[in-house]
Amino acid sequence: MRVLLQDSIFAFRQLRKSPGFALTAILSLALGIGATTAVFSVVYGVLMNPYPYKDTDRMAHLVLQDKAGNKHWPGLNGPQIRQIRQARSIESVVGEDEWNLTTTDEDLPEDVTAVYMTPNATTHFGVPPLLGRGLIPSDAPDGQDPQPVVVLSHKFWQRHYGANSDVLGRTLRLVHKSYAIVGVMPPRFTWGDADVYLPLKLTQDPKIQYAPPLRLKAGVSRAAANAELQALIQQFAKDTPSYFPPSFRVALQGLNDHFVERLGATLFLLFGAVGLLLVIGCTNVSILLLARGTARRHELAVRAAMGAGRSRIVRQLLTESLELSVAGAALGVLLAYQGVSLIVKWLPENSFPHEAAISINLPVLVFSVALALATGVLFGLSPALHLSRPDLAGIMQASTRRMTAGVRGKRIHGILVAAQVALTLLLLSSAGGAIRGFVRLMHTSLGYDPHNAMSVAIPVHDNTYMTWEARSQFFEQLRARIAAMPEVVSAGISTNATPPSNGWNTHFEILGKPVPQERELRTNFVSPEYFTVLHIPLLQGRLFDHAETMRGARLALVNQTMAHQYWPLGEAIGQQIRVPKLKGEPPYSPAAPDSDAWLQIVGVVADARDDGLREPVKPAIYVPYTMKMQMFTQILVRTRVEPLTVLRGVRAQVHAVNPDQQVMGRVRNLEQWITTQQEWAQERLVALLFGAFAVLALLLSVLGLYSVVSYIVAQRTNEFGIRMALGAGRTHVLRLVFASTALSVG
């Protein structure tokens, strides 16, 4: 231990004498290890271990895949869920529904996302509550109304109750109904991103659908479960055909499969990039260690001549390299903590499970420290072994400055420089491609104007505005009051038509033409002011007016893509189409009379993005929003000022119409809607991180190249002096220096 301490102190003194060398080596390792650790932590947290639930590998979503490969997530009614529970491959099924409720004990109602779950949810998920208890069977006995109890999410508990541990037993009023608080869930239980969890009673009504999260029995594969459920779901489709695609196969999906599909390739690509950065950093350290070791040949020869054995010299050099690697690892971990939070901030919204605990964890720390130590041993051992047997006679006859590196040393330096430059160019070209793709995405033609506009979502409560007339009048009253605000230029209703990803994929028919099963369009429910708010021009025909909207007239507008695809000669006006799924589904979706009958096309509007920023615009129709009323709407508001500054005024207008009505969730302006698109955020993430990694790689390569060139110049100083004494000019000497590394760089 005493000898080790002496070696460490001496190594520290040696490194302190060469601060430039030590700092460069430490930063080279720190940047590589920090970036690698940060990205690996994100990969681990998002793709490998995102959920806190029991036996996550046995949990699945019910997914149906049609002939075209499109995926559908069907709901099941109460009797169907009970039948699924009897399947041999299924251990448990939870019935789940979601509503937006509101607090009714405050000046302005607060939006509360409520997830209703059958009381077997606590056992199904296997996550114990932080306080109190979860839902239990007595909270919703079969055939009885659920008990007025509520379990709070961790975020709602913090936000609404200040994380007060005395919350159990208190009363929470939601839409004028009192619920006793019986539990608080831990931070990582975020199922459904709910604020509160309430007990659900499964009804016998075949029209009421519930999401059915599944858990397979131990030892049952998804393929076996798919095979068993296929016949059962096909029978459900015969009983309730409107809720299932015409033909399908059951393809159960794991909890994380969807996120892996969307983000997995991007994260692994970034992990490959930081792996290159780490290799470049290690290469840089190896160049520095080799150059420094060769420069110390005279010192080591003197130590050997004074009796230092080979093992003593190797131990000393390894101690120095390990001190560098440990310091680099320690700084790298500190950088990783900052890097993780930065990457998480840049991750596309809703592209990863919100249950994921993305942080530096023990496996990643062990990986980083082991990598740093291995780097120190690997790149410190080679020069240590080489220099521990110095040619005493040759070295003692000459000063360090007269020594040359030798053919072997030059070859090693050349190979390392070449590898470093090649990897750096690879990262730079990848970063250039990523940035070019992001810039191209930023300049995508939208077809609408998102500036100074926002979307305000407004959900209605259960058992309110149940008739078509009452709901349409309510929504129109809200729109009119908001449009009359002095800061507002115009306001229109967009039930499901807020771009750039909007519309409801539906099959349709054209009067007088055959009906291919795969023919689909996007149906958008709007008011006529929608086109004014978004500055979408009318190209042909006319818009439907206010009176037609309020009576649910069977009229439609088509976008330019649909007009060109189905009526290329410009004869779209006057044609008739039919969308069977426009039929009403009371009590939740009442519709105008004969809404599923033939619609007359009265106008053609310009294309606006409706399938994201990267995909081509899809054929779409716009119908009066009163054609089929949903349980919520979105009011698009164009303002004279920054839109979010008038949000409180908008909420006040909504409150004036109905004191219990809230504005739903987080309100964004339409420019923020673009930045939260999956492709926009993903391209931005790749461009930013690839660009940062490429710049760091370039910096490391420059430092490595500088180390080699400065080392070569130092070794050849006497040679250059003799050449200049014999008449060589400055240009000739510079040419010799550049030529020494030109081949490797080339």
Side-chain angles (χ1 to χ4, degrees):
M1 181 63 69
R2 180 181 174 186
V3 174
L4 181 61
L5 181 60
Q6 289 176 343
D7 287 345
S8 301
I9 294 173
F10 182 77
F12 178 74
R13 289 174 179 171
Q14 289 294 106
L15 295 176
R16 191 172 59 182
K17 290 179 181 179
S18 305
F21 158 77
L23 186 60
T24 302
I26 290 172
L27 285 178
S28 297
L29 282 177
L31 292 174
I33 291 173
T36 304
T37 304
V39 174
F40 183 83
S41 296
V42 174
V43 171
Y44 182 83
V46 171
L47 303 182
M48 299 180 185
N49 185 34
Y51 295 103
Y53 311 126
K54 176 186 175 184
D55 298 326
T56 308
D57 58 317
R58 293 198 283 124
M59 298 179 70
H61 294 296
L62 177 61
V63 176
L64 308 180
Q65 193 164 342
D66 61 25
K67 286 184 176 180
N70 300 315
K71 293 179 179 179
H72 304 262
W73 285 261
L76 301 177
N77 59 40
Q80 291 168 345
I81 287 180
R82 292 187 176 94
Q83 290 184 59
I84 289 282
R85 285 175 175 170
Q86 305 306 314
R88 293 188 304 274
S89 58
I90 301 300
E91 180 178 292
S92 65
V93 182
V94 173
E96 177 187 323
D97 201 1
E98 179 180 332
W99 287 96
N100 281 81
L101 305 179
T102 179
T103 56
T104 48
D105 50 4
E106 301 173 348
D107 294 338
L108 285 179
E110 177 187 355
D111 184 59
V112 177
T113 302
V115 168
Y116 293 78
M117 297 191 291
T118 49
N120 64 326
T122 301
T123 305
H124 179 90
F125 291 106
V127 178
L130 179 68
L131 298 175
R133 65 171 177 86
L135 300 176
I136 57 177
S138 60
D139 291 333
D142 279 342
Q144 300 180 28
D145 290 333
Q147 297 298 309
V149 296
V150 61
V151 177
L152 308 181
S153 72
H154 193 268
K155 285 187 177 179
F156 185 79
W157 174 57
Q158 288 183 317
R159 182 178 76 242
H160 201 76
Y161 292 100
N164 190 336
S165 58
D166 295 332
V167 71
L168 298 180
R170 290 192 188 183
T171 297
L172 174 65
R173 288 186 61 79
L174 301 172
V175 197
H176 298 292
K177 184 176 180 179
S178 297
Y179 294 86
I181 300 172
V182 296
V184 177
M185 297 307 293
R188 290 186 65 191
F189 189 93
T190 62
W191 187 264
D193 287 332
D195 292 315
V196 298
Y197 299 94
L198 300 169
L200 172 69
K201 172 188 176 183
L202 293 178
T203 72
Q204 297 295 320
D205 190 340
K207 295 180 181 179
I208 299 179
Q209 305 287 303
Y210 308 100
L214 311 171
R215 177 183 291 278
L216 306 183
K217 288 183 178 177
V220 176
S221 67
R222 287 190 207 164
N226 289 337
E228 182 186 6
L229 294 178
Q230 182 70 36
L232 195 56
I233 303 299
Q234 284 179 335
Q235 182 59 48
F236 295 166
K238 291 180 182 178
D239 298 337
T240 53
S242 60
Y243 297 105
F244 297 88
S247 59
F248 60 84
R249 65 179 180 86
V250 177
L252 294 182
Q253 191 175 75
L255 293 191
N256 212 37
D257 290 358
H258 177 63
F259 298 109
V260 171
E261 288 176 8
R262 297 181 69 180
L263 197 62
T266 298
L267 289 181
F268 282 120
L269 184 67
L270 291 173
F271 190 53
V274 296
L276 291 179
L277 182 63
L278 181 59
V279 171
I280 292 171
C282 292
T283 304
N284 211 39
V285 173
S286 69
I287 292 173
L288 292 168
L289 288 174
L290 286 172
R292 176 175 169 80
T294 305
R296 295 175 64 187
R297 293 177 68 183
H298 189 272
E299 171 204 334
L300 298 176
V302 171
R303 296 183 66 184
M306 295 178 66
R310 188 185 186 196
S311 61
R312 182 73 178 83
I313 295 175
V314 169
R315 189 172 71 238
Q316 182 60 53
L317 293 177
L318 277 178
T319 301
E320 292 182 20
S321 61
L322 283 174
E323 282 193 0
L324 288 175
S325 62
V326 170
L331 181 58
V333 170
L334 292 177
L335 293 177
Y337 275 99
Q338 298 299 318
V340 165
S341 60
L342 190 62
I343 295 174
V344 171
K345 181 181 178 181
W346 287 345
L347 282 176
E349 189 175 5
N350 298 322
S351 67
F352 64 98
H354 291 171
E355 292 93 335
I358 305 175
S359 61
I360 303 294
N361 52 32
L362 184 59
V364 179
L365 279 175
V366 171
F367 170 79
S368 303
V369 173
L371 188 62
L373 295 177
T375 301
V377 171
L378 181 63
F379 295 107
L381 189 60
S382 176
L385 291 176
H386 177 65
L387 297 172
S388 61
R389 282 184 174 175
D391 179 7
L392 296 179
I395 294 177
M396 298 305 291
Q397 291 173 4
S399 68
T400 356
R401 290 189 176 272
R402 291 178 182 171
M403 294 306 302
T404 58
V407 176
R408 183 172 179 273
K410 290 179 179 179
R411 186 182 299 117
I412 293 175
H413 283 133
I415 292 173
L416 291 174
V417 169
Q420 205 174 39
V421 171
L423 294 176
T424 300
L425 285 177
L426 177 60
L427 268 181
L428 285 171
S429 59
S430 301
I435 292 170
R436 184 170 63 249
F438 182 54
V439 170
R440 185 166 56 247
L441 198 67
M442 289 179 66
H443 289 87
T444 298
S445 175
L446 298 174
Y448 69 98
D449 181 9
H451 306 297
N452 276 7
M454 67 177 171
S455 177
V456 182
I458 299 174
V460 297
H461 301 143
D462 195 11
N463 297 319
T464 59
Y465 309 106
M466 301 297 288
T467 66
W468 170 75
E469 295 84 358
R471 194 170 297 176
S472 58
Q473 289 292 337
F474 175 63
F475 286 158
E476 171 56 26
Q477 192 176 2
L478 294 177
R479 187 208 64 79
R481 288 188 70 100
I482 293 171
M485 294 174 60
E487 306 92 342
V488 173
V489 176
S490 56
I493 289 181
S494 152
T495 298
N496 68 334
T498 304
S501 294
N502 53 278
W504 176 29
N505 272 344
T506 49
H507 296 284
F508 71 102
E509 304 169 16
I510 299 176
L511 187 64
K513 292 187 178 182
V515 188
Q517 196 174 57
E518 66 277 4
R519 189 164 66 190
E520 287 187 336
L521 53 68
R522 296 212 156 179
T523 302
N524 299 273
F525 301 90
V526 301
S527 71
E529 298 84 5
Y530 170 87
F531 303 97
T532 304
V533 173
L534 294 184
H535 297 168
I536 299 175
L538 176 69
L539 303 180
Q540 188 180 357
R542 68 176 182 88
L543 303 177
F544 38 80
D545 59 28
H546 176 76
E548 291 168 333
T549 300
M550 296 313 296
R551 70 169 186 267
R554 296 195 301 275
L555 304 175
L557 305 167
V558 299
N559 67 353
Q560 201 171 0
T561 292
M562 182 164 180
H564 287 169
Q565 184 169 334
Y566 295 103
W567 301 283
L569 300 180
E571 71 279 24
I573 304 298
Q575 299 289 335
Q576 295 189 54
I577 61 175
R578 191 170 81 90
V579 181
K581 285 196 173 182
L582 285 181
K583 184 178 181 180
E585 297 173 292
Y588 300 119
S589 298
D594 300 321
S595 58
D596 58 338
W598 293 99
L599 309 175
Q600 184 178 17
I601 297 173
V602 296
V604 178
V605 296
D607 280 344
R609 289 280 166 181
D610 60 3
D611 194 26
L613 302 173
R614 190 181 291 125
E615 300 298 327
V617 175
K618 287 194 172 183
I621 63 170
Y622 299 87
V623 299
Y625 75 92
T626 53
M627 186 74 65
K628 184 176 182 178
M629 306 297 302
Q630 307 296 329
M631 290 295 293
F632 65 92
T633 193
Q634 298 176 68
I635 298 183
L636 296 179
V637 184
R638 178 165 294 281
T639 60
R640 297 180 173 86
V641 295
E642 162 58 36
L644 296 181
T645 62
V646 304
L647 180 57
R648 183 168 181 82
V650 168
R651 284 177 169 152
Q653 294 299 325
V654 172
H655 185 260
V657 175
N658 182 348
D660 294 337
Q661 182 63 63
Q662 81 276 27
V663 168
M664 182 176 172
R666 177 184 172 189
V667 177
R668 298 184 179 94
N669 62 48
L670 295 197
E671 290 172 308
Q672 291 172 331
W673 275 65
I674 293 173
T675 61
T676 56
Q677 290 294 300
Q678 171 74 18
E679 59 267 41
W680 194 97
Q682 199 160 324
E683 291 271 9
R684 175 176 177 266
L685 174 69
V686 173
L688 286 173
L689 291 183
F690 255 110
F693 297 153
V695 170
L696 292 177
L698 180 61
L699 177 62
L700 293 178
S701 292
V702 168
L703 291 174
L705 186 59
Y706 174 78
S707 300
V708 171
V709 173
S710 61
Y711 162 71
I712 291 175
V713 170
Q715 296 301 305
R716 299 178 66 182
T717 301
N718 286 353
E719 173 196 340
F720 294 152
I722 294 172
R723 287 176 180 273
M724 295 182 74
L726 293 174
R730 181 179 183 183
T731 304
H732 176 75
V733 174
L734 289 174
R735 191 183 306 120
L736 288 174
V737 174
F738 287 126
S740 64
T741 54
L743 181 61
S744 298
V745 173

